[in-house]
Amino acid sequence: MSSLLAIVVGGFIFTLLLLINRPILAIIVASILSVFVWSATQQFEHTCSYVGTDGIVSYIMTESRSVLPKESFMLFADADSLHTKTTRNYINGIYSGTSYTYTWKKYSGSTHAISGTYRSENNPPQENDPWYFANVSELVWSSYVLSTLDGELERQGYIEFLVATSSLQAVRVGRGFLEFVTKKEGNRRVLVPYMRDILLGSGTFQFKHQDAKWWSGKGKYSFEYANIPNARVFLICLKDLAEIYWD
């Protein structure tokens, strides 16, 4: 409605300037109006998104209402894991925006991603931001994954999360313990009471055994939040199985 009002007002000013014999100003107004109309047309985009128990879908309409919307959907049954990454960006110490990416890896080898940016350093973005679609999608996906883990826990005694780091291959969460699958030291199972430090800060998990020395790398395990699949499920498993949680 605001765009239409601006066009009408601009057209009225253009006509008025012609009537009072001010053609140069009329041309200037017409040029500005043309740029505005072109910009408004190019920026036309509307999205309708849905999150269901079995998957997610979004319809994106661009250019005009006469163009068929583009469909983008994913069934949870086709996906293997979800990686999430959120970054607060700063330029010369001044906050410039927050970027986010939610990437589902499929069994087929392809991916499905939801990404974007918003400007809100310490609070969630405004209500109509696509971030909410991504966030709710993660919540429902996590519920879907949790419903499939009972069998794994019963068979193995733990839930395994693969980790992409130079030293760790996986982290296993069991009842009262964590097991770190390392590339050099093999498997290291640690009872939670014997952990000295359990931290999550600046997007990084850190676990330290009570016998770990400050000069030695043994007994110290860390990895980025973005590097562990199904990170929200990992947090839930830490809380429900190992009684590790953050307020």
Side-chain angles (χ1 to χ4, degrees):
M1 183 65 69
S2 60
S3 299
L4 179 60
L5 179 61
I7 293 172
V8 171
V9 172
F12 173 78
I13 295 174
F14 172 75
T15 304
L16 180 62
L17 289 172
L18 286 179
L19 291 175
I20 62 176
N21 198 25
R22 302 294 295 273
I24 295 179
L25 287 178
I27 292 173
I28 294 175
V29 171
S31 299
I32 296 175
L33 184 61
S34 298
V35 172
F36 178 83
V37 172
W38 178 85
S39 177
T41 302
Q42 295 298 311
Q43 294 176 3
F44 179 88
E45 181 176 303
H46 293 280
T47 303
C48 184
S49 303
Y50 299 90
V51 180
T53 55
D54 295 324
I56 57 178
V57 62
S58 60
Y59 298 92
I60 302 175
M61 180 179 290
T62 58
E63 298 182 9
S64 72
R65 290 178 174 83
S66 62
V67 178
L68 291 176
K70 297 179 180 179
E71 182 185 66
S72 177
F73 75 94
M74 184 197 68
L75 295 176
F76 290 150
D78 295 334
D80 173 56
S81 60
L82 167 64
H83 287 260
T84 64
K85 184 176 183 179
T86 301
T87 305
R88 291 186 179 90
N89 301 300
Y90 296 85
I91 299 177
N92 296 326
I94 300 175
Y95 173 74
S96 61
T98 300
S99 58
Y100 59 88
T101 303
Y102 293 66
T103 305
W104 282 265
K105 295 183 179 180
K106 297 185 178 181
Y107 293 109
S108 63
S110 60
T111 61
H112 182 93
I114 303 173
S115 61
T117 60
Y118 62 84
R119 290 185 62 84
S120 181
E121 185 175 9
N122 299 313
N123 298 302
Q126 59 185 8
E127 293 182 359
N128 62 344
D129 194 278
W131 174 83
Y132 289 98
F133 172 52
N135 189 54
V136 173
S137 296
E138 183 192 17
L139 285 172
V140 180
W141 161 260
S142 298
S143 178
Y144 173 86
V145 172
L146 284 168
S147 69
T148 68
L149 295 182
D150 287 342
E152 180 180 348
L153 182 62
E154 184 177 349
R155 289 192 309 272
Q156 302 178 155
Y158 55 78
I159 305 299
E160 183 175 79
F161 297 86
L162 301 179
V163 183
T165 72
S166 59
S167 59
L168 273 177
Q169 292 180 318
V171 179
R172 296 167 178 171
V173 185
R175 299 190 185 281
F177 71 87
L178 296 178
E179 187 169 285
F180 301 91
V181 182
T182 69
K183 296 180 180 179
K184 295 182 178 180
E185 302 174 11
N187 300 350
R188 298 293 183 180
R189 178 171 294 195
V190 182
L191 298 179
V192 173
Y194 294 123
M195 300 296 292
R196 184 176 67 198
D197 291 321
I198 302 174
L199 305 173
L200 172 59
S202 301
T204 301
F205 288 101
Q206 296 183 56
F207 301 91
K208 293 182 182 180
H209 189 273
Q210 64 178 8
D211 295 331
K213 308 301 181 182
W214 69 268
W215 67 84
S216 173
K218 292 184 178 181
K220 300 177 183 179
Y221 312 97
S222 66
F223 49 90
E224 299 297 317
Y225 188 98
N227 287 340
I228 189 167
N230 307 323
R232 190 183 291 268
V233 176
F234 179 65
L235 290 173
I236 294 173
C237 289
L238 286 178
K239 178 181 178 181
D240 292 348
L241 297 178
E243 298 186 359
I244 296 172
Y245 55 90
W246 292 267
D247 295 330

